[in-house]
Amino acid sequence: MTVWEMAEHLARQQHGVISRRQCLELGMLDTQVTRAGRERGPWQRVLPGIYAVTTGQLTQAGLVAAAVLFGGPTSQVSGCLLYTSDAADDN
């Protein structure tokens, strides 16, 4: 499996998003991540250092996952946003 395939596999497990840090940990070069996140690249920049590997709009669960990745390992999501996100995935 290539690093690109590993990155896309990880992103699918995270509702379509991945962080720059995760890409580098998988073995991607910094320049590869930068190119992928450029305006005409295959990935969309969601937040600084956070990318969507799909085209089109992210689901609410994808946006929440992006926020958690951006916030770091101690970030948390609570309240109605989490409930709404779970409900949206059921539809």
Side-chain angles (χ1 to χ4, degrees):
M1 188 179 281
T2 69
V3 292
W4 290 99
E5 292 168 333
M6 289 188 293
E8 290 185 2
H9 177 75
L10 178 58
R12 280 193 300 275
Q13 295 174 338
Q14 300 175 153
H15 303 284
V17 296
I18 193 166
S19 71
R20 172 179 289 275
R21 178 185 53 79
Q22 290 174 320
C23 291
L24 297 175
E25 288 173 356
L26 289 173
M28 281 187 158
L29 300 175
D30 189 61
T31 54
Q32 289 176 303
V33 181
T34 299
R35 273 189 237 127
R38 285 193 180 149
E39 187 174 327
R40 292 190 185 101
W43 295 352
Q44 301 176 59
R45 182 177 170 266
V46 180
L47 291 163
I50 309 297
Y51 304 95
V53 301
T54 60
T55 58
Q57 291 187 334
L58 283 174
T59 64
Q60 188 169 11
L63 293 172
V64 171
V68 170
L69 286 173
F70 181 74
T74 60
S75 63
Q76 298 179 3
V77 177
S78 64
C80 64
L81 181 60
L82 182 60
Y83 175 77
T84 304
S85 175
D86 289 342
D89 285 345
D90 292 339
N91 293 327

